[in-house]
Each structure stands twice: as structure tokens, then as C-alpha cells.
Amino acid sequence: MAEGDNRSTNLLAAETASLEEQLQGWGEVMLMADKILRWERAWFPPAIMGVVSLVFLTIYYLDPSVLSGVSCFVMFLCLADYLVPILAPRIFGSNKWTTEQQQRFHEICSNLVKTRRRAVGWWKRLFTLKEEKPKMYFMTMIISLAAVAWVGQQVHNLLLTYLIVTFLLLLPGLNQHGIISKYIGMAKREINKLLKQKEKKNE
């Protein structure tokens, strides 16, 4: 068991080191994005929502086709991949890279690797469910996809995408400040109260 844990730890460290090397040119940008997403200043949440709203309003105004939208998005990613490693050191100053910043960069890369592992793990569980319980797998997939299709039919695609993107960008800050855990705790307490009241009525 201990040998398996050590192997997993060593593999995680190796994957994290590899990702750090790949994203080294993005280090300063990632640290700045991390500060914004974790709401280190009070005006970061409205700034996030403002930027996202501006981007989606621009998309709504231009109303590009799917092919044009995908092409522009990929083109933007290619430009960012080429320009960011060149411009970031000049803007932020790589000579100001401190031990604390390096540690935070390591933590970010480690979290990214863990998130990727969780996603792969869920994907493997899905296929395991398909092999072991095919009926449950197909029923779950059909119901889930039907629900998603219904939501997509009721809500405009662009609005739905805007809500999803905004939520995902606000999620790190919500977690960092304990807002999600606070409301989950409140919901659990209310559910427990309702269950207790139901038990008393049954008695």
C-alpha cells in the first residue's frame, strides 16, 4: 500500500514538473490570473463579470457563424501562445520572480494535474459503469442528455454559455472565500430540519 502511495506521489511530482516546464513562459500571466480568480482584491469579481459581459455582448453584436467563431477563438489561442511567452517577461519582469511566486506557480500546476487526473478518473468510471452495469449506464446517459437538451432548448445558447463561463470564472473565488461551503451548509441544515419535522409527523 505504501509502495503504491509513493509511486502515485512520484508520478504526480513528475507530471507537475513536466507541466511547469511546459507553462514556464506563462508563469507571470498564470500568477496574475490566479490572484484575480481568487479575488485578492474586492473589485476583482465585478471586473471579471464586466469583462465576460463585454466579450459576450461583442459576440452577440457581431453574431458570427459557428465556423467563424471557432476560427477566431483558435486564432486568438495561437496568437496568445506565441506572444505571451515573449511579452510577459518584458511586462512583468522575470527578474522579480521570487521564491514565493515559484511556490505558488508549483501549487497551481499541481492543482491542474490533480484536476486532469480527476477528469480522467471520472471518464474511466463512466466506462467501468458501461461495462459492469450497461442498463444503468444507458439510462443515466439518456436522462442526463435529455435534461441538458431540454435546458438548451429553453435557454438561448449564448446566454447559457455566458452563465456557464461566468460561473466557472467565479468558482475559484467562491471556494476561496468559503461562500459555496457556507450555502451548502445552510442547505444541509434546512434539509435536516425538514427530515426531522417529517419524522415527528410520522410518529
Side-chain angles (χ1 to χ4, degrees):
M1 185 70 178
E3 183 179 350
D5 291 340
N6 290 334
R7 186 179 303 172
S8 178
T9 303
N10 293 335
L11 185 59
L12 176 63
E15 290 179 9
T16 302
S18 175
L19 186 62
E20 283 183 31
E21 185 177 353
Q22 294 173 19
L23 297 177
Q24 195 63 45
W26 286 75
E28 294 87 353
V29 176
M30 289 177 65
L31 288 176
M32 180 59 66
D34 177 64
K35 291 179 180 179
I36 294 172
L37 294 176
R38 289 190 298 117
W39 304 356
E40 287 197 357
R41 296 187 181 179
W43 57 271
F44 282 161
I48 292 172
M49 295 184 68
V51 171
V52 173
S53 300
L54 180 61
V55 170
F56 275 86
L57 282 172
T58 304
I59 295 171
Y60 177 76
Y61 176 76
L62 295 175
D63 192 21
S65 65
V66 174
L67 186 59
S68 298
V70 172
S71 298
C72 291
F73 180 71
V74 174
M75 181 175 62
F76 173 78
L77 291 180
C78 291
L79 285 172
D81 185 52
Y82 175 73
L83 293 175
V84 167
I86 297 173
L87 298 178
R90 299 179 183 179
I91 296 172
F92 297 99
S94 56
N95 58 331
K96 297 179 181 179
W97 193 260
T98 63
T99 305
E100 184 180 351
Q101 288 174 318
Q102 182 63 42
Q103 179 62 29
R104 184 58 195 162
F105 179 64
H106 175 77
E107 291 174 1
I108 294 170
C109 291
S110 179
N111 290 334
L112 289 174
V113 170
K114 290 175 183 176
T115 302
R116 182 175 63 187
R117 282 188 165 195
R118 289 192 197 101
V120 172
W122 280 106
W123 188 255
K124 288 180 178 178
R125 287 192 192 99
L126 193 62
F127 279 94
T128 302
L129 180 65
K130 180 182 177 182
E131 293 175 0
E132 295 179 353
K133 300 178 180 179
K135 291 181 179 178
M136 182 181 291
Y137 165 79
F138 284 112
M139 286 298 294
T140 304
M141 291 299 294
I142 289 169
I143 292 171
S144 301
L145 292 173
V148 171
W150 181 82
V151 171
Q153 189 67 25
Q154 301 302 314
V155 185
H156 191 279
N157 290 335
L158 192 61
L159 176 60
L160 188 60
T161 307
Y162 167 74
L163 294 174
I164 292 171
V165 170
T166 303
F167 175 74
L168 290 176
L169 290 177
L170 293 176
L171 186 59
L174 293 171
N175 281 328
Q176 179 71 20
H177 293 269
I179 297 172
I180 290 180
S181 58
K182 174 185 174 182
Y183 284 100
I184 289 176
M186 290 172 61
K188 286 180 178 178
R189 285 193 294 270
E190 292 299 323
I191 291 171
N192 289 332
K193 286 180 182 178
L194 291 173
L195 292 174
K196 287 178 181 179
Q197 289 176 1
K198 189 175 181 180
E199 289 176 359
K200 288 180 179 178
K201 289 180 180 179
N202 292 334
E203 291 174 357

